[in-house]
Amino acid sequence: MKMREEYTCPLELTHDMIKGKWKPVILWQLSKGPASLSALKKEIAGISQKMLLQHLNELQSCGVVEKKTFEGYPLKVEYFLTPRGHKIFGAVTIMQEVGIEIMREDKITK
Amino acid sequence: MKMREEYTCPLELTHDMIKGKWKPVILWQLSKGPASLSALKKEIAGISQKMLLQHLNELQSCGVVEKKTFEGYPLKVEYFLTPRGHKIFGAVTIMQEVGIEIMREDKITK
DNA sequence: CAGCATCCGATCTGATACTG
DNA sequence: CAGTATCAGATCGGATGCTG
């Protein structure tokens, strides 16, 4: 991922934050509230642990997601959206709405 | 790109529509009004013709963009957003806004 | 001006196996 | 449960040259 200063336009910056196959779905899940790694893995059908972690790390490094680690056994970690994450989630919401509309339209067309 | 029926969730569908390095910027430009290939190329700094065309084709095949071809020489073509394109543009708008905010925040932090 | 084909390196994704 | 390492295949992106 780029350093912040390298972005020439705002869209490029934000696009980086939601690019990747699973980022919108991860944000969607986290918008419901904090979640552990295993919970996310369960809720997001088809994602591999590697990709989940990789995307979570990217989301953290651009300030969209943070995590809280609880000491002890078994290990417990909670991922959650930052204020910035909630802002970007606004875009994801629209994506979801448009997607629903389109799927509905396509059903009617059939 | 997938066939419509293969999408399991709306977000996956919409994500396909804006994924790719240049799609948000292309939608941004087209939101200002119809534009020719060369106009887009001029307005979008750094894009290659190949990627521009490829993304425009993908946007067309998911019903976000259409084009109108005018016969004659020199050839003239206009790309423009469909109603569906305008809906998705709503998400792009938020991306832009969030991006601007973040860039501003980062400047203050410095 | 609009659009296609090809080649190549970079990046992304996923399966699997392993650590604290 | 959380997280890392690695390897192979798929996809993406960009440069270049060619066609109508």
Side-chain angles (χ1 to χ4, degrees):
Chain A
M1 196 98 55
K2 286 189 181 178
M3 290 294 96
R4 295 280 164 67
E5 297 79 24
E6 293 180 56
Y7 291 105
T8 54
C9 76
L11 265 186
E12 192 189 351
L13 201 174
T14 325
H15 181 254
D16 251 18
M17 296 185 174
I18 58 169
K19 88 165 176 221
K21 189 171 174 181
W22 306 96
K23 288 217 186 89
V25 202
I26 293 173
L27 295 179
W28 185 260
Q29 286 300 329
L30 287 181
S31 74
K32 299 178 187 169
S36 68
L37 188 70
S38 52
L40 288 172
K41 203 172 151 190
K42 231 170 283 172
E43 284 157 348
I44 304 176
I47 197 172
S48 68
Q49 182 166 294
K50 179 198 164 185
M51 290 317 297
L52 181 50
L53 270 162
Q54 184 176 307
H55 281 154
L56 282 171
N57 286 330
E58 289 172 14
L59 289 168
Q60 285 175 84
S61 68
C62 59
V64 170
V65 165
E66 283 178 11
K67 77 173 167 183
K68 189 179 173 185
T69 307
F70 302 85
E71 299 297 335
Y73 278 93
L75 283 171
K76 193 188 165 189
V77 171
E78 263 186 9
Y79 290 90
F80 57 93
L81 290 188
T82 62
R84 180 173 295 181
H86 280 102
K87 282 178 201 160
I88 297 188
F89 179 66
V92 178
T93 306
I94 297 196
M95 288 171 63
Q96 170 82 0
E97 283 167 11
V98 175
I100 290 174
E101 260 185 77
I102 293 176
M103 291 180 104
R104 190 154 36 216
E105 285 171 19
D106 282 0
K107 243 182 197 158
I108 295 170
T109 315
K110 267 190 236 170
Chain B
M1 195 97 58
K2 286 189 181 176
M3 290 294 96
R4 296 279 165 68
E5 297 78 25
E6 293 180 55
Y7 291 104
T8 54
C9 76
L11 266 185
E12 192 190 352
L13 201 174
T14 325
H15 180 255
D16 253 16
M17 296 185 174
I18 60 168
K19 87 163 176 226
K21 190 171 174 182
W22 306 96
K23 289 217 186 90
V25 201
I26 293 174
L27 294 179
W28 185 261
Q29 286 301 329
L30 287 181
S31 75
K32 299 179 188 168
S36 68
L37 188 69
S38 52
L40 288 172
K41 204 173 152 190
K42 230 170 284 173
E43 283 155 349
I44 305 176
I47 196 171
S48 68
Q49 182 168 291
K50 177 196 165 184
M51 291 318 296
L52 180 52
L53 269 164
Q54 183 176 308
H55 282 154
L56 281 171
N57 286 331
E58 289 172 14
L59 289 168
Q60 285 174 83
S61 68
C62 57
V64 170
V65 164
E66 282 178 10
K67 77 173 168 182
K68 190 179 173 186
T69 308
F70 302 84
E71 300 297 335
Y73 278 93
L75 282 171
K76 193 188 165 188
V77 170
E78 263 186 9
Y79 289 91
F80 56 93
L81 290 188
T82 62
R84 179 173 296 179
H86 280 101
K87 283 178 200 160
I88 297 187
F89 179 67
V92 178
T93 306
I94 297 197
M95 288 171 64
Q96 169 82 0
E97 283 167 11
V98 174
I100 290 174
E101 261 185 77
I102 293 177
M103 291 179 103
R104 190 153 35 216
E105 286 169 21
D106 282 1
K107 244 184 196 157
I108 294 170
T109 314
K110 267 190 234 170

